[in-house]
Amino acid sequence: MEDLLNFLKAIADENRLKILKLLLDGQYCVCQLEQLLDKSQSSISQHLNYFKELDLLKEEKSGKWIYYTVDRSVYDKYLAALISLKAESLAELNLSELQNKINNLDTAAEIKSETKGGCS
């Protein structure tokens, strides 16, 4: 679950989402990404580090340049984890405590009668 959360945090930034899209479609070095996104080298490198921490990038060295692309097998695993969220039980997601709370949750009618007016 933590890996999926980190993936979602990584793509929640507009610039990282743009970088992800570019790297899904092609192979780029940092200086090319700088030009395309009008960002500094340090900014691009910081954004790429998010993806590196998720093992989401493939690197290919050519001379003094490193070209980046998305590792589709890793990317597809994140997408599959996101899609399977609905299919998996809370226990499978290590959220058993939440399942216990759901099982013990008062009904809306019980809450209304206790609070004289509804949920607060």
Side-chain angles (χ1 to χ4, degrees), residues 10 12 37 43 47 49 67 78 115 117:
L37 300 172
S43 174
H47 289 306
N49 280 333
Y67 290 88
Y78 286 116
T115 60

Side-chain angles (χ1 to χ4, degrees), residues 13-120:
D13 178 87
E14 181 180 355
N15 290 307
R16 286 193 293 273
L17 194 56
K18 288 177 183 177
I19 291 170
L20 179 65
K21 175 58 178 153
L22 288 168
L23 297 180
L24 281 166
D25 292 341
Q27 197 176 49
Y28 297 94
C29 66
V30 171
C31 59
Q32 291 171 319
L33 293 170
E34 284 178 68
Q35 289 177 359
L36 291 169
L37 300 172
D38 196 28
K39 298 290 178 190
S40 69
Q41 181 272 331
S42 63
S43 174
I44 296 296
S45 293
Q46 285 178 339
H47 289 306
L48 289 174
N49 280 333
Y50 276 87
F51 296 129
K52 287 178 183 179
E53 289 175 11
L54 296 168
D55 295 322
L56 202 52
L57 298 180
K58 288 183 181 179
E59 299 178 6
E60 185 178 315
K61 192 167 173 111
S62 178
K64 63 179 184 174
W65 307 111
I66 297 175
Y67 290 88
Y68 297 94
T69 189
V70 171
D71 184 332
R72 285 303 302 230
S73 65
V74 175
Y75 177 73
D76 290 346
K77 280 196 271 185
Y78 286 116
L79 293 182
L82 187 58
I83 291 167
S84 70
L85 254 179
K86 178 66 178 153
E88 292 182 9
S89 71
L90 289 171
E92 290 170 316
L93 296 171
N94 294 323
L95 297 174
S96 297
E97 184 179 323
L98 183 58
Q99 183 64 59
N100 291 337
K101 288 181 179 181
I102 290 170
N103 294 340
N104 295 318
L105 186 65
D106 293 334
T107 65
E110 291 171 326
I111 294 170
K112 186 175 183 181
S113 68
E114 289 174 13
T115 60
K116 306 263 188 225
C119 296
S120 53

